[in-house]
């Protein structure tokens, strides 16, 4: 993994300003707008409220190998999930290949490739991801039933299927789900790596319907989920994640190019253990 991973980490390290990305010029208006809202919120002119999770505290124990983290909030108002760049490896047709139009992309288990791909499987610590999509205008009280979420992330080596050297024929760690009557979608996956220059994260796009998602049209929201540091440190101490240990030590949520302007609404609540696997949950107001 050393030589191969080093090449890919250098390739991935500039995700937010990659030449194939939507570009820094695309990100700046979004970041500037979010910073202005936060400044106004600090002046008590605009209430900025997240609804990412119930009250909980980030904890870590080497003995029990369990972790959890989350944010707290309570208000009649609810802020929409921050919009973020989809990065250079979306696979949604905006940068080359479009996996959304392939038969089989609608699935909950995204650990393996499907269709005419190489048929590989992503190895790593098990992770179940549940996103709850809610209507922000209702104060996060109304689930968005019948919406759809396209979710993707890198593998244990920091590679993105369809794009990275060695896995261009794979399409694992990508999938679409329709929200149920609770507004929820659940994906079975593996814990992603930390590659150079970025905090560990998962990408997702929200669509108004499953039909829109599989037609790769009318994205309503694009954002990213972040992981708490204590959980990352525990996972990366296991076999297969050695490169992530060094990469994690060189980044922080506060300095990450995407999360540095605020991550309260994007920090997942994570529970579980290396042996039993982890669950990551996040409320996504749209």
């Amino acid at each position: 993994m050393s030589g191969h991973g080093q090449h890919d980490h250098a390739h991935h390290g500039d995700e937010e300003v990659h030449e194939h990305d939507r570009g820094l010029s695309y990100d700046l208006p979004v970041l500037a707008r979010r910073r202005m809202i936060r400044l106004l919120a600090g002046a008590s002119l605009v209430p900025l409220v997240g609804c990412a999770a119930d009250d909980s505290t980030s904890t870590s124990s080497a003995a029990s190998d369990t972790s959890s983290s989350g944010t707290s909030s309570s208000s009649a108002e609810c802020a929409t999930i921050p919009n973020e760049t989809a990065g250079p490896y979306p696979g949604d047709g905006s940068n080359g290949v479009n996996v959304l139009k392939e038969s089989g992309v609608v699935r909950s288990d995204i650990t393996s490739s499907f269709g005419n791909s190489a048929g590989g499987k992503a190895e790593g610590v098990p992770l179940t991801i549940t996103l709850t999509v809610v209507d922000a205008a209702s104060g996060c009280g109304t689930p968005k039933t019948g919406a759809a979420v396209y979710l993707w992330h890198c593998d244990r080596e920091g590679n993105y299927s369809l794009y990275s050297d060695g896995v261009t024929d794979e399409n694992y760690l990508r999938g679409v789900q329709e929200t149920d009557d609770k507004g929820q979608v659940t994906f079975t996956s593996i814990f992603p790596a930390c590659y150079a220059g970025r905090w560990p994260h998962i990408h997702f796009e929200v669509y108004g319907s499953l039909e829109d998602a599989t037609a790769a049209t009318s994205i309503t929201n694009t954002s990213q989920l972040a992981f708490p540091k204590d959980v990352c440190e525990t996972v990366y101490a296991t076999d297969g994640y050695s490169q992530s240990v060094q990469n994690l030590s060189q980044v922080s949520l506060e300095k990450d190019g995407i999360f540095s302007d605020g991550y309260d609404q994007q920090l997942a609540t994570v529970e579980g253990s290396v042996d039993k696997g982890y669950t990551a949950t996040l409320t996504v107001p749209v």
Side-chain angles (χ1 to χ4, degrees), residues 30 34 38 79-84 204 222-224 262 265-266 285:
V30 175
R34 289 171 57 190
R38 292 177 190 282
T80 301
I81 193 78
N83 278 314
E84 308 289 10
F204 61 90
T222 302
S223 196
Q224 297 182 24
Q265 284 185 270
Q266 295 161 285

Side-chain angles (χ1 to χ4, degrees), residues 47-52 73-81 134-142 265 283-286:
L48 184 67
V49 181
C51 47
S73 63
S74 59
S75 173
E77 299 195 34
C78 172
T80 301
I81 193 78
V134 295
D135 180 25
S138 71
C140 287
T142 304
Q265 284 185 270
T283 296
V284 181
V286 299

Side-chain angles (χ1 to χ4, degrees), residues 42-91:
S44 299
L45 295 177
V46 177
L48 184 67
V49 181
C51 47
D54 294 331
D55 290 348
S56 61
T57 304
S58 177
T59 60
S60 181
S61 169
S64 62
D65 194 25
T66 59
S67 305
S68 65
S69 180
T71 58
S72 61
S73 63
S74 59
S75 173
E77 299 195 34
C78 172
T80 301
I81 193 78
N83 278 314
E84 308 289 10
T85 173
Y89 316 113

Side-chain angles (χ1 to χ4, degrees), residues 179-191:
T179 59
D180 60 18
D181 57 358
K182 296 180 180 179
Q184 294 185 338
V185 292
T186 298
F187 296 91
T188 300
S189 190
I190 56 98
F191 205 95

Side-chain angles (χ1 to χ4, degrees), residues 3 13-14 25 54 57 60 85 93 144 149 168 187 195 201 215 232 246 257 263 278:
D14 298 325
S25 61
D54 294 331
T57 304
S60 181
T85 173
K144 295 285 285 187
V149 175
T168 55
F187 296 91
Y195 52 80
H201 61 283
C232 293
Q246 179 179 353
Y263 52 83
Y278 288 89

Side-chain angles (χ1 to χ4, degrees), residues 207-278:
Y207 293 79
S209 67
L210 187 61
E211 182 179 2
D212 284 346
T214 53
T217 60
S218 304
I219 300 172
T220 63
N221 303 82
T222 302
S223 196
Q224 297 182 24
L225 173 155
F227 291 94
K229 182 179 181 180
D230 59 345
V231 179
C232 293
E233 290 176 334
T234 300
V235 171
Y236 296 157
T238 64
D239 292 341
Y241 287 96
S242 57
Q243 187 62 46
S244 292
V245 175
Q246 179 179 353
N247 292 332
L248 186 71
S249 70
Q250 297 173 345
V251 294
S252 69
L253 275 165
E254 290 74 20
K255 295 182 179 180
D256 180 75
I258 296 298
F259 301 123
S260 59
D261 62 338
Y263 52 83
D264 288 351
Q265 284 185 270
Q266 295 161 285
L267 186 62
T269 297
V270 181
E271 299 178 342
S273 67
V274 168
D275 292 337
K276 297 181 179 179
Y278 288 89

